[in-house]
């Protein structure tokens, strides 16, 4: 199971809002919904977020064994 709790903290630290992701970086609202609800997302999406936020994957996602 993947959790994206760190994503929201990293966004706050970097001063990037969900509004900014949608309007400036064209991240869809449905993708943000998937992230908020810890649904699966592609590595492409994770890569885009890492580039936008200038961070590592560990700053966005945590893996938990089920």
């Amino acid at each position: 199971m993947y959790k994206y709790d760190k994503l929201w903290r990293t966004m706050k630290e970097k001063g990037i809002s969900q509004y900014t992701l949608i309007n400036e970086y064209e991240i869809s609202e449905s993708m943000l919904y998937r992230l908020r609800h810890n649904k699966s997302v592609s590595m492409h999406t994770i890569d885009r977020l890492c580039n936008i936020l200038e961070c590592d994957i560990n700053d966005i996602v945590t893996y938990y064994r089920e």
Side-chain angles (χ1 to χ4, degrees):
M1 173 190 287
Y2 295 95
K3 293 204 175 192
Y4 302 99
D5 297 339
K6 291 181 178 180
L7 169 62
W8 315 112
R9 183 175 48 234
T10 300
M11 286 172 55
K12 186 174 183 178
E13 289 171 1
K14 302 284 183 167
I16 295 181
S17 66
Q18 291 183 50
Y19 179 86
T20 302
L21 288 179
I22 293 166
N23 292 299
E24 291 185 28
Y25 296 102
E26 298 179 357
I27 301 290
S28 69
E29 290 182 47
S30 62
M31 184 59 61
L32 291 174
Y33 174 89
R34 295 185 68 73
L35 290 162
R36 277 193 304 274
H37 293 90
N38 298 311
K39 305 277 185 185
S40 64
V41 297
S42 70
M43 287 305 294
H44 174 75
T45 299
I46 299 297
D47 183 56
R48 283 190 67 204
L49 290 169
C50 286
N51 284 316
I52 292 166
L53 297 170
E54 299 177 350
C55 67
D56 294 325
I57 191 170
N58 293 330
D59 298 321
I60 293 177
V61 61
T62 305
Y63 172 72
Y64 296 96
R65 290 188 183 178
E66 292 187 59

